[in-house]
Amino acid sequence: MILRGRTLDVGFAALAAAQLGAAALLVPTGGNETVGSLALPDGSPLSGLCLSRAVFHVDCPMCGMTRSFVAFAHGHLRAALDFHPAGPLLFIAMLVFLGAVVTVTVRRAQPLFERRNFRFAFETVVLVCLAMGIFKMVRS
């Protein structure tokens, strides 16, 4: 089965909304400018989720992205950049993407994933985030 543009738009928008919603719901622990770890809304601590770190004791290129998203969602820009320098960029890109999906869906315009310029921008954001993550991984 071949996925059509509108299906891809809505599917990726749902994933982005879930990620952004989780970042808003999770609670950063620590002071105003730092985020030590994450907790569920009821205060229960959230354990580490990175398989690479758990198995190989090595950060992956996306290590720190969840903490970066949570910090950014709660207004801690410095902590977000410390956890993953691409976190705020990806967070904002997801917000813009959600708005664009709503706009093209309501207007019944050409789906984003059928637009060459959108695919180029999407791939560029992904590559920049991966490059920043690899740089962060090598640096640590």
Side-chain angles (χ1 to χ4, degrees):
M1 178 173 112
I2 298 174
L3 293 177
R4 303 246 180 226
R6 185 83 59 217
T7 304
L8 289 171
D9 281 1
V10 172
F12 275 97
L15 291 172
Q19 177 66 39
L20 295 172
L25 287 175
L26 291 174
V27 179
T29 61
N32 287 339
E33 294 301 319
T34 63
V35 178
S37 61
L38 303 177
L40 297 172
D42 68 359
S44 303
L46 189 65
S47 62
L49 303 173
C50 182
L51 183 63
S52 174
R53 182 173 266 282
V55 174
F56 303 113
H57 306 290
V58 175
D59 286 352
C60 72
M62 291 307 191
C63 270
M65 189 63 79
T66 301
R67 290 178 290 162
S68 180
F69 266 49
V70 172
F72 194 70
H74 290 271
H76 305 295
L77 177 60
R78 184 75 216 139
L81 290 168
D82 287 343
F83 283 122
H84 199 290
L89 168 68
L90 189 56
F91 190 100
I92 291 168
M94 285 180 165
L95 285 175
V96 170
F97 172 68
L98 284 173
V101 168
V102 169
T103 301
V104 299
T105 301
V106 168
R107 292 183 178 177
R108 297 180 187 259
Q110 181 183 21
L112 295 175
F113 274 94
E114 292 178 2
R115 299 176 187 206
R116 181 175 295 155
N117 289 341
F118 170 77
R119 287 193 313 267
F120 176 77
F122 181 84
E123 291 166 359
T124 300
V125 169
V126 168
L127 289 174
V128 167
C129 290
L130 280 174
M132 292 173 84
I134 290 169
F135 177 75
K136 175 187 173 285
M137 183 178 80
V138 170
R139 194 181 73 197
S140 62

